[in-house]
Amino acid sequence: MQRGNLSMGSEFVLVGLSDAPEVRFLLLVLFLIIYLATVAGNISILVAISTNTHLHNPMYFFLGNLSLLDILCPTIIVPKMLEALLLENKVISFHGCMFQLFFLIDVIGTEIFLLAVMAYDRYVAICHPLQYMNIMSMKLCAHLATGTWVAGLLNSLLHTSLIFTLSFCASNEVDQYYCDIPPMLALSCSSTYSRELVILTVAGAVGGSAFVVTLISYIYILSAILCMNSSESRHKAFSTCGSHLTAVCLFYGATICTYARPSSAYLPKQDRIVSMLYGILTPLLNPIIYSLRNKEVKCALRRVISQVRTVLIRQEHHSLSLAPSGAPPAGYEL
């Protein structure tokens, strides 16, 4: 264990992953599969939205932003984990740790705001359907989306500056598989009371305001759905909002458990499981949640898969047509 005051040229050691070779291999395969599936699933959603004109509306514009965040979040965490598991290199530089935490908090903060905006979008769509396209104009959607990204960036700048101006002199071992606020606060040897107070206040204001917007939106949505005469309309409204509400519960629940508490309540083993939920599993589940509960997304994904298959078949036929006329096709046996 390295001791002494850690400067900007120092390194941290991520000790949240197992050292047992057989466990390391299983974790490597598991995280690699999850990461590739997450990226593939969210890219599929982005391609489906961009190539299908029926999905060029506010709801799917915000869903596209969510898919982009769900690609970024595991990309910030998983590659370093895979390096640690494959090469047994658990060391991360001071600046590497700082940038990892900065981008992680940026993505998490942006997603918190974005989920609130998506709840407001569903409120307008269900409670004011005739005025929906006028209220949720593309100009307003662009401003709202930009606002969520800027707010997430400013929130992350504040948190990162509060954490990395602390003194780290007791140990350089981060009891987590990536750099995050709770383990970094636990690692500091200087007083963290005032900074924790600021972090909890800001986190409470950010998370609380987003939660209130989401809660009020769904109270109005629920009352509007219950007033609908047609059971088919009620089912469609519940189906539309159900996927978003599932994503909200998963994400808000995990982030509140992680960040809305003092560092004295930090429990490394439990926190690794909770952080895996919002950092790795939620980005994997979101494309599944939105595609399974949404017929339009499912149809768009089928079209994308069909188009890709058609392109591959055409390329195969083209390559066969370019082969010498006297030569048998590849794989052909006499």
Side-chain angles (χ1 to χ4, degrees):
M1 185 183 293
Q2 182 181 327
R3 293 188 178 273
N5 191 27
L6 298 180
S7 64
M8 288 189 179
S10 302
E11 297 173 333
F12 293 105
V13 180
L14 304 172
V15 296
L17 295 170
S18 174
D19 289 322
E22 60 278 6
V23 177
R24 276 208 331 270
F25 178 74
L26 288 174
L27 289 175
L28 174 67
V29 173
L30 178 64
F31 288 137
L32 181 60
I33 291 171
I34 290 174
Y35 178 64
L36 293 175
T38 301
V39 172
N42 284 288
I43 287 177
S44 298
I45 295 285
L46 287 170
V47 172
I49 292 171
S50 61
T51 57
N52 192 319
T53 54
H54 296 322
L55 304 183
H56 291 177
N57 61 51
M59 176 182 171
Y60 296 107
F61 171 72
F62 294 126
L63 178 57
N65 278 265
L66 182 64
S67 292
L68 182 57
L69 289 169
D70 284 341
I71 292 171
L72 292 174
C73 192
T75 301
I76 294 163
I77 297 171
V78 175
K80 183 60 188 174
M81 291 171 57
L82 297 178
E83 181 189 357
L85 291 166
L86 182 63
L87 305 176
E88 299 185 49
N89 179 21
K90 298 181 179 181
V91 175
I92 186 169
S93 68
F94 183 94
H95 287 101
C97 186
M98 181 173 66
F99 282 118
Q100 188 181 54
L101 186 141
F102 170 77
F103 287 117
L104 178 66
I105 301 302
D106 181 17
V107 168
I108 290 171
T110 302
E111 189 159 338
I112 287 172
F113 289 117
L114 182 65
L115 289 172
V117 169
M118 292 174 75
Y120 174 72
D121 171 70
R122 292 299 82 212
Y123 154 74
V124 177
I126 291 172
C127 298
H128 305 282
L130 299 178
Q131 299 172 293
Y132 177 62
M133 293 310 296
N134 290 328
I135 296 172
M136 299 301 293
S137 63
M138 287 313 297
K139 184 178 179 181
L140 177 62
C141 291
H143 287 162
L144 288 172
T146 303
T148 61
W149 287 87
V150 171
L153 180 68
L154 295 175
N155 177 63
S156 183
L157 279 171
L158 174 64
H159 283 77
T160 306
S161 62
L162 288 171
I163 295 298
F164 284 92
T165 50
L166 289 167
S167 297
F168 302 100
C169 52
S171 167
N172 69 333
E173 294 185 350
V174 180
D175 204 350
Q176 180 61 286
Y177 46 83
Y178 61 92
C179 294
D180 200 3
I181 291 175
M184 298 307 294
L185 284 172
L187 194 63
S188 174
C189 59
S190 55
S191 174
T192 60
Y193 176 78
S194 59
R195 292 163 199 259
E196 282 189 63
L197 193 60
V198 174
I199 289 171
L200 288 172
T201 303
V202 173
V206 168
S209 60
F211 178 75
V212 167
V213 169
T214 305
L215 181 63
I216 293 173
S217 296
Y218 271 98
I219 289 172
Y220 279 105
I221 287 169
L222 183 60
S223 61
I225 291 173
L226 293 176
C227 292
M228 290 177 180
N229 296 322
S230 168
S231 59
E232 184 180 347
S233 298
R234 283 198 298 270
H235 176 74
K236 185 178 179 181
F238 273 122
S239 178
T240 303
C241 297
S243 52
H244 176 255
L245 197 56
T246 305
V248 167
C249 292
L250 279 172
F251 190 77
Y252 277 17
T255 50
I256 288 169
C257 287
T258 302
Y259 298 109
R261 58 180 182 166
S263 62
S264 56
Y266 176 61
L267 302 170
K269 290 183 179 179
Q270 290 86 335
D271 278 42
R272 285 174 211 154
I273 297 171
V274 174
S275 61
M276 193 175 294
L277 180 62
Y278 70 80
I280 298 174
L281 293 181
T282 301
L284 171 68
L285 293 174
N286 277 346
I288 300 170
I289 292 168
Y290 281 98
S291 60
L292 286 178
R293 298 185 64 89
N294 194 307
K295 290 181 180 178
E296 291 177 322
V297 173
K298 282 193 283 188
C299 290
L301 286 173
R302 286 195 199 102
R303 270 194 215 98
V304 170
I305 293 168
S306 177
Q307 288 170 359
V308 171
R309 191 179 298 157
T310 302
V311 170
L312 291 174
I313 291 170
R314 283 177 181 172
Q315 286 181 345
E316 185 179 350
H317 288 166
H318 181 67
S319 61
L320 289 173
S321 66
L322 293 177
S325 57
Y332 179 81
E333 294 181 5
L334 295 174

